């Protein structure tokens, strides 16, 4: 990055620090209910209900729908990577078009290539997260298919938790892939100005924090869990 300015280094550092810092915090925070922890409880309850019924077509359909969503994002990641490669192949034309835009920062060809390569790397990371999530959902589907019809007391306590835990791992990878998409979109602002990239990274953290820790969706899921536990008693 010989052509990089001080602003580029600051922007990239803040951007990736925001991304890594939030990922470590969100994936390991357990002091209060979050979307990840509360959905694990609902997933465990779902698997308990699954063991109680003989017809499990609906359970397979729900899991299949989730897997299709993951596969869709994985496919989109490949398309984005294809677009990035195409831009690299016609970089001079793209730079010529961008130079006519007053709000795009003028940089060297080498910096354009670096920005596109970093952007491509971000979406490669997203693809691997979605691909691993899809494999984990496949394993979950296998365990669901192997669940006994008349479970013993020991099986009834262990199988739902195992299924819920494996499903939660799959969802965790899926969430990390979606998070990568958010930060990938924020990385696009680097083409405008590196400090704008830093601000976009911080803004994405605030948006995700509100959704995962302070959203109405989380409150509704907590209320649903309380209602389920009350009904069970």
């Amino acid at each position: 990055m010989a052509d990089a300015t001080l602003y580029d280094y600051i922007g990239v550092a803040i951007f990736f620090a925001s991304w890594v810092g939030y990922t470590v915090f969100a994936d390991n925070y357990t002091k209060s209910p979050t979307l990840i922890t509360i959905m694990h409880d609902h997933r465990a309850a779902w698997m308990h209900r699954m063991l109680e019924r003989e017809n499990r077509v609906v359970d397979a359909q729900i899991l299949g729908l989730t897997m299709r969503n993951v596969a869709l994002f994985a496919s989109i990641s490949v398309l984005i990577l294809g677009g990035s490669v195409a831009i690299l192949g016609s970089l001079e034309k793209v730079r010529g078009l961008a130079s006519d835009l007053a709000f795009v920062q003028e940089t060297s060809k080498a910096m354009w290539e670096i920005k596109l390569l970093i952007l491509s790397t971000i979406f490669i990371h997203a693809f691997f997260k979605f691909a691993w999530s899809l494999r984990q959902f496949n394993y979950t589907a296998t365990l669901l298919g192997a669940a006994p019809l008349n479970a013993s007391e020991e099986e009834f306590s262990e199988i739902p938790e195992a299924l819920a835990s494996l499903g939660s791992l799959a969802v965790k990878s899926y969430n990390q892939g979606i998070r990568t998409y958010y930060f990938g979109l924020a990385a696009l602002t680097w083409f405008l100005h590196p400090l704008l990239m830093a601000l976009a990274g911080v803004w994405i953290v605030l948006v995700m924090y509100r959704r995962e820790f302070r959203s109405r969706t989380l409150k509704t899921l907590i209320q649903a869990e309380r209602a389920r536990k009350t009904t069970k008693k």
Side-chain angles (χ1 to χ4, degrees):
M1 295 180 62
D3 296 327
T5 65
L6 178 61
Y7 289 143
D8 287 309
Y9 286 109
I10 293 174
V12 170
I14 294 176
F15 174 81
F16 282 104
S18 300
W19 184 357
V20 174
Y22 181 79
T23 298
V24 172
F25 169 77
D27 291 347
N28 296 281
Y29 186 84
T30 57
K31 292 183 180 180
S32 62
T34 67
L35 283 180
I36 294 177
T37 58
I38 203 70
M39 283 306 300
H40 175 82
D41 294 339
H42 284 293
R43 204 170 290 112
W46 168 28
M47 294 307 169
H48 273 100
R49 299 291 184 272
M50 179 272 299
L51 284 181
E52 294 174 351
R53 49 179 173 257
E54 294 184 5
N55 190 342
R56 297 167 182 174
V57 175
V58 174
D59 304 294
Q61 288 177 338
I62 294 173
L63 192 57
L65 177 62
T66 305
M67 293 170 67
R68 285 194 292 272
N69 290 334
V70 179
L72 174 63
F73 279 105
S75 300
I76 294 174
S77 300
V78 174
L79 294 176
I80 293 174
L81 289 172
S84 300
V85 173
I87 292 175
L88 280 172
S90 56
L91 188 56
E92 290 297 338
K93 294 181 180 179
V94 175
R95 289 184 65 207
L97 293 172
S99 63
D100 295 332
L101 301 176
F103 50 83
V104 175
Q105 184 188 33
E106 185 176 350
T107 56
S108 66
K109 180 182 178 181
M111 279 304 299
W112 267 86
E113 292 175 346
I114 290 172
K115 291 176 182 180
L116 286 171
L117 288 173
I118 290 179
L119 189 65
S120 298
T121 303
I122 289 174
F123 284 100
I124 289 173
H125 175 76
F127 171 78
F128 278 105
K129 286 297 180 181
F130 289 128
W132 180 229
S133 174
L134 191 59
R135 289 184 63 184
Q136 289 174 307
F137 275 122
N138 275 316
Y139 302 148
T140 305
T142 301
L143 289 184
L144 189 146
L149 292 178
N150 298 308
S152 64
E153 183 177 348
E154 183 179 358
E155 289 174 329
F156 196 82
S157 62
E158 293 181 357
I159 291 177
E161 184 59 35
L163 280 163
S165 296
L166 187 54
S168 294
L169 289 173
V171 170
K172 181 179 180 180
S173 297
Y174 177 67
N175 287 341
Q176 290 173 345
I178 293 293
R179 197 176 293 152
T180 303
Y181 263 55
Y182 288 165
F183 280 100
L185 293 175
L188 289 173
T189 60
W190 193 8
F191 291 95
L192 304 180
H193 196 279
L195 294 184
L196 189 59
M197 177 188 182
L199 290 175
V202 173
W203 178 70
I204 289 295
V205 167
L206 295 175
V207 170
M208 290 191 300
Y209 176 80
R210 181 186 176 280
R211 291 180 177 179
E212 294 190 36
F213 294 88
R214 295 290 184 268
S215 65
R216 294 181 182 177
T217 300
L218 176 59
K219 294 178 181 178
T220 302
L221 290 170
I222 293 174
Q223 291 174 354
E225 184 189 27
R226 290 173 180 170
R228 175 172 53 81
K229 291 181 177 180
T230 302
T231 303
K232 186 177 180 180
K233 292 178 180 180

